[in-house]
Amino acid sequence: MTRLPWIVDTRVHRTRYTALLAPCTAIAVTIVGALILMSIMGVPPLRALYYLYAAPLSGRYNIGEVLLKMSPLLLIAQGLAIGFRAKVWNIGAEGQLILGAIGGSLLPIYFNDSQSALMLPAMVLVGASFGMAWAAMAAFLRARFNANEILVTLMLNSIALQLLYYLVSGPLRDPFGFNFPQSALFPDAAMLPILVGGTRVNVSFFIALIATALAWLLVRRSMIGYKLEVGGTAPNAARYAGFSEKQAVWLSLLIGGAAAGLAGVFEVAGPLGQLQRVISPGYGFAAIIVAFLGGLNPVGILFAAFFMAVILVGGDIAQTAAGVPYALNTVLQGILLVTYIAARLFVDYRVRLRPPAPASEAQI
Amino acid sequence: MQTITFVLAGTMLAATPLLIAALGELIAEKSGILNLSVEGMMALGAAIGFIVVMETGSYWLAFLAGGLVSTLLAALFGAVVLLALGNQVATGLAVGILGVGLAALIGKPYESKTVPPMPRMPIPFLSDIPVIGPGLFNHVVLVYLAPLAALGLWWLFRYSKLGLIIRAVGESPEASHAIGHNVMLVRLLAVLAGGFLAGVAGAFISVASTTLWSDGMIAGRGWIVVALVVFGTWRVGRVMIGAYLFGIASIAELLVQSTGIGVPSQLLTSIPYVATIVAIALLSMDGRRIRLNAPVSLGRVYREAQ
């Protein structure tokens, strides 16, 4: 019987620093991976480093773009992490975001000349409810029929995309838009106020920060958060204590759906200004990575969302400046999460080399 | 008559990659490993397979290369799950994202090019049967091989020692370890086999059915494959039936369009996804059936006794 040359023990004591080890390793490996990939594609390493990690942080406009992309990532990841802690795997944030965008677009499309101050709050309400409703389907199927929520939410992503395609090429298409698959432009009353002149960053950034604070309160200071956590880490104990599993499923998915739906409204009411075929460059999936990279911890997620936004903006810059395919972003996201999970071995466990077996044991 | 032939042929073509990849996923899951990166592995197989046909013209080499590159990705998945004790759901998602990204990156220069379709191999006499013949027996070789592979896998799990070991490892890795089986190795090989088959299935889609490569062309098929294994309650025969049923569902789009009924195309494209949700819900309703058939250790982190 071959044995692995190392021994893995459960780690009993954790310090703050061990928790930081995994994300820092993952980020370092991702940066090295990016440089290698970029040099294969003919971009000198220093230039690549500049495009991906320095350019996004230099200049008012670029920093604004980082914060703009950070908002949906942060918002969605905080929502997802609450479910992930309870081991409810909502992989459908992308679809819930699309539904949020659709819901948020209905009012400004049908009341296109409205100047009402209630427009934005109403859009937010409708959009978040749409996102919640889309997630609620998965919650219902899981709670009632025990249907695996990973598969259901994933399928709902594909269906949401088809629904969006149908709506923008039919019922919600701009009648004066020369048949382009997009809605009419939103009125000013339906647009989020810009925070800093010369950038595109809007108040959604503040709302994402507020969501972070709320998530922290829920996770650390509320009974609901505690129940969800116990359900995820010790399902038997949770059952014994009478914490309802169905309630955890519903709560996780509804919170995740509302957050993603909100992010969808903010996309159409922010940088897009209309409903169109492409709402998100995969925020729903990137947010899953952000949630894990942040250790499912509200504060960790804040930093993870920032880093992910830098990667996304860096990828955009590299694409326009050096013609690097956008797919590089996806590869980097994959590397980031894979190395993070692998590095968690050293956080959750103590790994040491196996001492050489005594001679007597070796003979057996 | 024409329509029946068309439906049969289309179903076979659509079902074959689903079946091949689902058999691979079944092997991995029987050993206790839930591999959620099938979508990425199929995408990578599709990209590599397409490039190989483009550059060498050999279809067999394309399947081999697509399979092997996906096996490499499966090795990464296996290493993280088995050695680094990673959560299987998160690791599967991560490796899947990596696979989809790599496929898009590698395939970029070949975007929207086409290859000549793989030559068919009509089965003598059978393909001459009117209506059914051209529908069922005039295909590329893999279409015939896939059900044979299913038969082989059924035999493996039912009658062979290797099959028994894989099942034992999936039911109770602790007990299997105690009686001297190398759990890690069995699981790694099962994951690699699953990766290889996912890659072959992906290559089939790009060189035998669509004959083009584009980013996102796998379009959720990898996830339908994962669903098929649940749908088939981890039984080879039922997984195979499921694959052909989904084959029908995925050509329903073409079928309805050919009748000229004015249904939005997006609604038709959604049919396989809706069908997956309905199937999963109906099959999971009876929780006992899932619990009885699912490998007991499926998805659990296993740490070998030291």
Side-chain angles (χ1 to χ4, degrees):
Chain A
M1 182 104 213
T2 51
R3 283 176 157 190
L4 295 173
W6 63 83
I7 296 178
V8 179
D9 296 318
T10 308
R11 191 182 281 280
V12 186
H13 300 290
R14 274 191 216 179
T15 65
R16 271 167 200 282
Y17 303 105
T18 44
L20 282 177
L21 179 77
C24 292
T25 312
I27 288 172
V29 171
T30 305
I31 292 177
V32 173
L35 296 189
I36 294 173
L37 283 169
M38 296 269 278
S39 26
I40 292 174
M41 287 180 283
V43 183
L46 275 178
R47 288 265 299 280
L49 204 60
Y50 171 76
Y51 288 144
L52 284 180
Y53 303 104
L57 298 175
S58 50
R60 174 192 286 233
Y61 181 79
N62 285 348
I63 295 173
E65 288 297 289
V66 170
L67 297 183
L68 180 74
K69 287 188 194 289
M70 183 179 160
S71 318
L73 290 172
L74 184 58
L75 195 54
I76 302 172
Q78 295 291 10
L80 290 181
I82 290 166
F84 289 171
R85 291 172 80 94
K87 298 252 165 30
V88 175
W89 303 107
N90 174 9
I91 314 297
E94 188 74 10
Q96 291 144 20
L97 180 150
I98 290 174
L99 261 289
I102 292 172
S105 301
L106 293 178
L107 290 172
I109 290 173
Y110 285 113
F111 303 98
N112 205 253
D113 42 10
S114 163
Q115 294 301 327
S116 167
L118 290 176
M119 178 61 106
L120 259 177
M123 285 164 65
V124 163
L125 219 58
V126 177
S129 320
F130 269 52
M132 269 170 117
W134 204 244
M137 285 202 265
F140 172 73
L141 290 172
R142 163 80 196 268
R144 175 72 182 74
F145 295 104
N146 196 29
N148 182 310
E149 75 279 11
I150 300 176
L151 294 171
V152 172
T153 49
L154 263 159
M155 294 298 138
L156 285 173
N157 282 344
S158 303
I159 298 171
L161 197 61
Q162 295 301 324
L163 180 67
L164 174 69
Y165 289 169
Y166 168 69
L167 290 175
V168 291
S169 57
L172 297 183
R173 187 176 57 194
D174 182 4
F176 308 106
F178 305 101
N179 274 342
F180 279 112
Q182 53 196 30
S183 77
L185 286 171
F186 289 1
D188 287 343
M191 298 295 290
L192 292 171
I194 298 283
L195 277 184
V196 184
T199 70
R200 298 199 295 166
V201 60
N202 56 45
V203 288
S204 69
F205 182 66
F206 275 139
I207 296 174
L209 290 180
I210 293 170
T212 303
L214 289 177
W216 187 85
L217 283 174
L218 184 87
V219 167
R220 290 290 158 82
R221 292 284 181 270
S222 80
M223 189 61 186
I224 294 175
Y226 177 71
K227 283 184 179 178
L228 287 173
E229 171 109 42
V230 175
T233 45
N236 289 329
R239 223 165 290 140
Y240 186 69
F243 299 167
S244 158
E245 193 196 337
K246 287 185 179 176
Q247 192 192 31
V249 167
W250 276 102
L251 264 175
S252 301
L253 278 155
L254 289 183
I255 294 173
L262 210 52
V265 178
F266 292 160
E267 283 308 297
V268 286
L272 300 180
Q274 66 185 151
L275 193 66
Q276 53 182 50
R277 277 174 73 94
V278 181
I279 301 291
S280 132
Y283 287 138
F285 295 107
I288 296 173
I289 300 174
V290 169
F292 280 113
L293 190 68
L296 304 184
N297 170 321
V299 181
I301 289 171
L302 189 67
F303 291 98
F306 177 74
F307 181 71
M308 182 62 84
V310 170
I311 291 194
L312 290 179
V313 174
D316 280 345
I317 293 173
Q319 191 180 16
T320 38
V324 175
Y326 194 76
L328 180 73
N329 272 345
T330 319
V331 176
L332 295 183
Q333 289 174 22
I335 295 176
L336 192 60
L337 188 52
V338 172
T339 33
Y340 172 77
I341 296 168
R344 280 297 295 212
L345 174 71
F346 299 95
V347 179
D348 297 331
Y349 303 95
R350 280 176 60 223
V351 183
R352 60 197 162 94
L353 285 176
R354 185 183 291 279
S360 58
E361 194 190 319
Q363 279 167 6
I364 304 169
Chain B
M1 286 301 131
Q2 200 72 36
T3 318
I4 297 174
T5 310
F6 172 78
V7 170
L8 288 176
T11 302
M12 297 299 279
L13 208 57
T16 298
L18 294 179
L19 177 56
I20 295 175
L23 293 178
E25 177 68 10
L26 182 60
I27 299 174
E29 291 198 17
K30 278 278 192 191
S31 83
I33 301 291
L34 177 67
N35 178 4
L36 292 186
S37 53
V38 186
E39 179 87 3
M41 292 178 180
M42 286 177 81
L44 194 57
I48 298 291
F50 184 83
I51 293 170
V52 168
V53 170
M54 203 77 188
E55 301 294 339
T56 70
S58 165
Y59 290 87
W60 289 106
L61 206 57
F63 293 131
L64 187 68
L68 287 180
V69 174
S70 290
T71 308
L72 284 180
L73 201 60
L76 175 68
F77 172 78
V80 175
V81 161
L82 296 171
L83 297 181
L85 309 181
N87 174 306
Q88 293 178 17
V89 172
T91 312
L93 287 172
V95 174
I97 292 169
L98 184 62
V100 169
L102 282 175
L105 201 58
I106 296 169
K108 187 76 186 170
Y110 297 86
E111 190 101 13
S112 71
K113 290 181 181 165
T114 57
V115 290
M118 186 178 180
R120 295 176 189 189
M121 196 190 80
I123 296 181
F125 308 117
L126 288 179
S127 59
D128 297 332
I129 303 171
V131 186
I132 301 173
L136 294 182
F137 302 110
N138 183 16
H139 285 288
V140 301
V141 183
L142 252 63
V143 173
Y144 316 127
L145 286 184
L148 291 180
L151 191 68
L153 199 64
W154 173 79
W155 179 86
L156 181 94
F157 283 133
R158 182 127 190 163
Y159 294 111
S160 77
K161 188 177 174 191
L162 177 64
L164 190 64
I165 293 175
I166 295 175
R167 279 163 50 200
V169 163
E171 294 298 328
S172 173
E174 293 82 8
S176 306
H177 173 72
I179 60 171
H181 292 307
N182 193 336
V183 174
M184 293 284 202
L185 187 66
V186 170
R187 289 189 159 180
L188 179 65
L189 291 178
V191 166
L192 294 183
F196 183 82
L197 289 176
V200 171
F204 182 93
I205 293 172
S206 66
V207 307
S209 64
T210 63
T211 69
L212 59 82
W213 157 257
S214 71
D215 184 19
M217 66 178 292
I218 300 300
R221 284 191 189 87
W223 293 102
I224 290 180
V225 162
V226 177
L228 273 176
V229 177
V230 182
F231 178 86
T233 56
W234 295 271
R235 305 280 191 89
V236 178
R238 295 182 193 165
V239 168
M240 186 167 102
I241 294 171
Y244 288 104
L245 286 178
F246 272 86
I248 297 178
S250 52
I251 64 152
E253 179 180 0
L254 299 172
L255 200 64
V256 176
Q257 271 171 354
S258 69
T259 61
I261 304 170
V263 182
S265 70
Q266 293 89 354
L267 182 69
L268 299 170
T269 310
S270 303
I271 291 174
Y273 309 125
V274 176
T276 307
I277 293 178
V278 172
I280 291 284
L282 288 180
L283 272 142
S284 311
M285 200 158 44
D286 183 2
R288 270 177 315 173
R289 181 155 53 184
I290 297 288
R291 276 198 300 278
L292 274 178
N293 288 294
V296 175
S297 74
L298 183 64
R300 275 211 321 246
V301 172
Y302 166 69
R303 187 146 57 103
E304 198 137 272
Q306 323 261 342

mmCIF file of all heavy atoms in Angstrom, chain A residues 167-181:
data_model
loop_
_atom_site.group_PDB
_atom_site.id
_atom_site.type_symbol
_atom_site.label_atom_id
_atom_site.label_comp_id
_atom_site.label_asym_id
_atom_site.label_seq_id
_atom_site.Cartn_x
_atom_site.Cartn_y
_atom_site.Cartn_z
ATOM 1 N N LEU A 167 -37.199 39.259 -25.127
ATOM 2 C CA LEU A 167 -37.805 40.547 -24.778
ATOM 3 C C LEU A 167 -37.180 41.701 -25.553
ATOM 4 O O LEU A 167 -37.882 42.580 -26.045
ATOM 5 C CB LEU A 167 -37.685 40.793 -23.271
ATOM 6 C CG LEU A 167 -38.566 39.891 -22.395
ATOM 7 C CD1 LEU A 167 -38.286 40.120 -20.922
ATOM 8 C CD2 LEU A 167 -40.037 40.108 -22.702
ATOM 9 N N VAL A 168 -35.840 41.706 -25.675
ATOM 10 C CA VAL A 168 -35.215 42.855 -26.346
ATOM 11 C C VAL A 168 -35.398 42.801 -27.858
ATOM 12 O O VAL A 168 -35.222 43.808 -28.544
ATOM 13 C CB VAL A 168 -33.703 43.006 -26.037
ATOM 14 C CG1 VAL A 168 -33.490 43.405 -24.600
ATOM 15 C CG2 VAL A 168 -32.933 41.749 -26.383
ATOM 16 N N SER A 169 -35.753 41.608 -28.389
ATOM 17 C CA SER A 169 -35.975 41.590 -29.835
ATOM 18 C C SER A 169 -37.469 41.626 -30.140
ATOM 19 O O SER A 169 -37.866 41.592 -31.288
ATOM 20 C CB SER A 169 -35.330 40.349 -30.455
ATOM 21 O OG SER A 169 -35.850 39.197 -29.848
ATOM 22 N N GLY A 170 -38.309 41.675 -29.094
ATOM 23 C CA GLY A 170 -39.745 41.711 -29.317
ATOM 24 C C GLY A 170 -40.434 42.751 -28.459
ATOM 25 O O GLY A 170 -40.314 43.953 -28.703
ATOM 26 N N PRO A 171 -41.088 42.297 -27.394
ATOM 27 C CA PRO A 171 -41.972 43.169 -26.610
ATOM 28 C C PRO A 171 -41.312 44.435 -26.059
ATOM 29 O O PRO A 171 -41.976 45.461 -25.969
ATOM 30 C CB PRO A 171 -42.413 42.262 -25.452
ATOM 31 C CG PRO A 171 -42.225 40.884 -25.947
ATOM 32 C CD PRO A 171 -41.095 40.914 -26.908
ATOM 33 N N LEU A 172 -40.055 44.365 -25.664
ATOM 34 C CA LEU A 172 -39.445 45.538 -25.032
ATOM 35 C C LEU A 172 -38.510 46.296 -25.979
ATOM 36 O O LEU A 172 -37.786 47.190 -25.565
ATOM 37 C CB LEU A 172 -38.669 45.125 -23.764
ATOM 38 C CG LEU A 172 -39.508 44.509 -22.637
ATOM 39 C CD1 LEU A 172 -38.647 44.217 -21.424
ATOM 40 C CD2 LEU A 172 -40.665 45.422 -22.254
ATOM 41 N N ARG A 173 -38.531 45.941 -27.257
ATOM 42 C CA ARG A 173 -37.625 46.605 -28.198
ATOM 43 C C ARG A 173 -38.074 48.047 -28.436
ATOM 44 O O ARG A 173 -39.267 48.347 -28.452
ATOM 45 C CB ARG A 173 -37.592 45.835 -29.510
ATOM 46 C CG ARG A 173 -36.557 46.350 -30.482
ATOM 47 C CD ARG A 173 -36.508 45.498 -31.709
ATOM 48 N NE ARG A 173 -37.825 45.435 -32.359
ATOM 49 C CZ ARG A 173 -38.137 44.555 -33.289
ATOM 50 N NH1 ARG A 173 -37.270 43.649 -33.671
ATOM 51 N NH2 ARG A 173 -39.335 44.563 -33.837
ATOM 52 N N ASP A 174 -37.101 48.931 -28.610
ATOM 53 C CA ASP A 174 -37.394 50.324 -28.911
ATOM 54 C C ASP A 174 -38.083 50.411 -30.269
ATOM 55 O O ASP A 174 -37.492 50.057 -31.295
ATOM 56 C CB ASP A 174 -36.074 51.113 -28.935
ATOM 57 C CG ASP A 174 -36.312 52.588 -29.193
ATOM 58 O OD1 ASP A 174 -37.486 52.992 -29.265
ATOM 59 O OD2 ASP A 174 -35.316 53.322 -29.313
ATOM 60 N N PRO A 175 -39.359 50.886 -30.320
ATOM 61 C CA PRO A 175 -40.067 50.918 -31.613
ATOM 62 C C PRO A 175 -39.398 51.851 -32.621
ATOM 63 O O PRO A 175 -39.586 51.701 -33.829
ATOM 64 C CB PRO A 175 -41.468 51.393 -31.232
ATOM 65 C CG PRO A 175 -41.374 51.930 -29.856
ATOM 66 C CD PRO A 175 -40.199 51.301 -29.200
ATOM 67 N N PHE A 176 -38.611 52.822 -32.128
ATOM 68 C CA PHE A 176 -37.928 53.739 -33.050
ATOM 69 C C PHE A 176 -36.446 53.412 -33.131
ATOM 70 O O PHE A 176 -35.628 54.282 -33.398
ATOM 71 C CB PHE A 176 -38.134 55.182 -32.588
ATOM 72 C CG PHE A 176 -39.578 55.512 -32.348
ATOM 73 C CD1 PHE A 176 -40.073 55.642 -31.057
ATOM 74 C CD2 PHE A 176 -40.457 55.649 -33.420
ATOM 75 C CE1 PHE A 176 -41.412 55.921 -30.833
ATOM 76 C CE2 PHE A 176 -41.801 55.929 -33.198
ATOM 77 C CZ PHE A 176 -42.278 56.071 -31.913
ATOM 78 N N GLY A 177 -36.091 52.175 -32.851
ATOM 79 C CA GLY A 177 -34.669 51.828 -32.715
ATOM 80 C C GLY A 177 -34.099 51.101 -33.912
ATOM 81 O O GLY A 177 -33.103 50.402 -33.789
ATOM 82 N N PHE A 178 -34.705 51.252 -35.094
ATOM 83 C CA PHE A 178 -34.191 50.620 -36.312
ATOM 84 C C PHE A 178 -34.002 49.118 -36.138
ATOM 85 O O PHE A 178 -33.034 48.544 -36.638
ATOM 86 C CB PHE A 178 -32.868 51.256 -36.757
ATOM 87 C CG PHE A 178 -32.977 52.731 -36.921
ATOM 88 C CD1 PHE A 178 -32.493 53.578 -35.933
ATOM 89 C CD2 PHE A 178 -33.575 53.278 -38.048
ATOM 90 C CE1 PHE A 178 -32.607 54.944 -36.072
ATOM 91 C CE2 PHE A 178 -33.687 54.650 -38.189
ATOM 92 C CZ PHE A 178 -33.203 55.490 -37.191
ATOM 93 N N ASN A 179 -34.894 48.488 -35.374
ATOM 94 C CA ASN A 179 -34.861 47.035 -35.187
ATOM 95 C C ASN A 179 -33.643 46.509 -34.443
ATOM 96 O O ASN A 179 -33.369 45.318 -34.469
ATOM 97 C CB ASN A 179 -34.972 46.307 -36.535
ATOM 98 C CG ASN A 179 -36.430 46.124 -36.914
ATOM 99 O OD1 ASN A 179 -37.302 46.219 -36.058
ATOM 100 N ND2 ASN A 179 -36.683 45.875 -38.187
ATOM 101 N N PHE A 180 -32.843 47.389 -33.844
ATOM 102 C CA PHE A 180 -31.750 46.894 -33.011
ATOM 103 C C PHE A 180 -32.333 46.198 -31.786
ATOM 104 O O PHE A 180 -33.341 46.650 -31.239
ATOM 105 C CB PHE A 180 -30.836 48.042 -32.555
ATOM 106 C CG PHE A 180 -29.853 48.450 -33.598
ATOM 107 C CD1 PHE A 180 -29.939 49.684 -34.224
ATOM 108 C CD2 PHE A 180 -28.822 47.588 -33.954
ATOM 109 C CE1 PHE A 180 -29.037 50.050 -35.195
ATOM 110 C CE2 PHE A 180 -27.913 47.957 -34.915
ATOM 111 C CZ PHE A 180 -28.015 49.191 -35.542
ATOM 112 N N PRO A 181 -31.714 45.079 -31.355
ATOM 113 C CA PRO A 181 -32.272 44.363 -30.202
ATOM 114 C C PRO A 181 -31.950 45.073 -28.891
ATOM 115 O O PRO A 181 -31.130 44.616 -28.119
ATOM 116 C CB PRO A 181 -31.595 42.987 -30.271
ATOM 117 C CG PRO A 181 -30.316 43.240 -30.963
ATOM 118 C CD PRO A 181 -30.548 44.389 -31.903
#
